[in-house]
Amino acid sequence: MHKFAKGAVVGLFSLAIAACSSSPEEDLKVKKSSPDILYSQARTSMELGNFSKAVRSLEALDSRYPFGPHKTQVQLDLIYAYYKLDDAASGIANIDRFIRLNPTHKDIDYVYYMRGLVNMQSDNYMFHDMLDIDRTDRDPKVAQDAFNDFDRLIKSYPKSKYAPDAAKRMLYLKNRLAKYSINVAEYYIKMNAWSAASTRAQSVMETYPGTTSTERALEIMAEAYGELGQEKLKENVLSVMKINFPNNKMLSR
């Protein structure tokens, strides 16, 4: 890794650790504050972008005054603050608790939307993006969870103001999941596991149609069927390719 990149990473981690620290005096003030003062402090901290401090106030409210006047909003604010702190474990735990305790709340669509955002955030590696490293080969579980969260939001609350953005994010996730399957299929090719490669590529066509990986999926299927001696299936795939990707090099061989 480049020396500058290493320094940037270390610096960012140092800032994160410093942001999460608090003095004993601050902790004592939090413990002695009334619910209204605590909530006011939390909101001010959030507006200033100090989400670590906001979480301390909100967690104190949530534990000391679970039935206080701000109880529901406190939980919603905690979800958002954890998201901003990239604390996926705490975020998902609070989201699932909110859904369990408030299934008919007027903002439940927002909570499902946030669940998708938190899972999507977990799938992203900030330092990989900074260094332009392609990691679509990593475990796609949280990406699939995020896709399912957004899908549930759109199907259950189609008129939600968060539905349009959720739909856009689903397109991105769909491409990411398809690319992962292509990576798996290409691994099977390297292992000469042609049947497994064709099956995986076909799953891309069936599960993630219309993605950026469609052309590559067809190429893998055609190559695999050729290796397996299934000429009829290969010709069918090439026919589909000719219609959708007429300039593909495979067609001129």
Side-chain angles (χ1 to χ4, degrees):
M1 187 186 294
H2 193 280
K3 288 183 179 179
F4 175 77
K6 284 185 177 178
V9 170
V10 172
L12 284 169
F13 274 121
S14 299
L15 287 172
I17 292 170
C20 292
S21 62
S22 61
S23 67
E25 292 81 6
E26 288 178 340
D27 291 338
L28 185 61
K29 286 181 181 179
V30 167
K31 290 179 181 178
K32 290 185 175 181
S33 298
S34 69
D36 286 338
I37 291 176
L38 273 176
Y39 188 67
S40 177
Q41 290 173 344
R43 292 301 305 177
T44 299
S45 296
M46 291 181 73
E47 288 167 6
L48 294 173
N50 191 342
F51 293 99
S52 295
K53 188 174 181 179
V55 162
R56 290 196 293 274
S57 298
L58 292 168
E59 285 180 342
L61 268 170
D62 194 39
S63 60
R64 291 170 57 199
Y65 306 103
F67 304 106
H70 309 290
K71 62 177 184 178
T72 305
Q73 191 58 47
V74 165
Q75 294 169 21
L76 291 172
D77 289 345
L78 264 176
I79 290 168
Y80 183 72
Y82 286 135
Y83 168 69
K84 296 299 288 185
L85 289 173
D86 199 9
D87 186 348
S90 297
I92 292 296
N94 277 266
I95 287 169
D96 290 346
R97 182 183 67 158
F98 189 96
I99 292 172
R100 185 176 66 255
L101 298 176
N102 309 278
T104 59
H105 191 272
K106 64 181 181 65
D107 294 320
I108 197 69
D109 59 329
Y110 166 77
V111 178
Y112 280 114
Y113 174 68
M114 286 303 301
R115 197 178 200 284
L117 287 185
V118 171
N119 275 319
M120 192 172 179
Q121 184 183 62
S122 296
D123 187 58
N124 291 328
Y125 289 71
M126 178 180 69
F127 299 119
H128 290 160
D129 294 338
M130 286 172 57
L131 302 174
D132 196 26
I133 298 173
D134 180 15
R135 286 305 313 275
T136 50
D137 60 337
R138 64 187 180 270
D139 186 347
K141 182 184 181 306
V142 286
Q144 185 64 63
D145 288 343
F147 185 90
N148 294 339
D149 292 330
F150 291 133
D151 186 54
R152 180 169 184 175
L153 165 66
I154 291 172
K155 288 179 179 176
S156 300
Y157 310 97
K159 295 183 180 180
S160 169
K161 65 181 180 180
Y162 305 105
D165 185 68
K168 292 177 183 177
R169 291 177 184 275
M170 285 180 72
L171 287 176
Y172 168 84
L173 290 164
K174 192 175 178 183
N175 282 317
R176 183 261 190 268
L177 293 166
K179 184 64 166 60
Y180 174 81
S181 287
I182 290 296
N183 288 334
V184 173
E186 289 175 339
Y187 169 77
Y188 287 142
I189 289 175
K190 291 178 182 178
M191 301 298 292
N192 290 321
W194 296 105
S195 180
S198 66
T199 300
R200 195 75 187 207
Q202 186 176 351
S203 75
V204 172
M205 300 295 297
E206 295 173 350
T207 310
Y208 311 112
T211 64
T212 53
S213 296
T214 299
E215 185 172 8
R216 181 59 185 141
L218 289 168
E219 288 174 350
I220 292 172
M221 289 170 67
E223 184 180 2
Y225 290 146
E227 292 289 337
L228 293 168
Q230 299 180 357
E231 293 301 322
K232 183 64 176 178
L233 290 176
K234 179 180 178 179
E235 288 303 317
N236 289 340
V237 171
L238 291 176
S239 295
V240 173
M241 190 182 290
K242 186 175 181 180
I243 295 171
N244 294 279
F245 306 100
N247 296 321
N248 188 282
K249 293 180 180 179
M250 233 181 202
L251 297 173
S252 60
R253 294 176 188 172

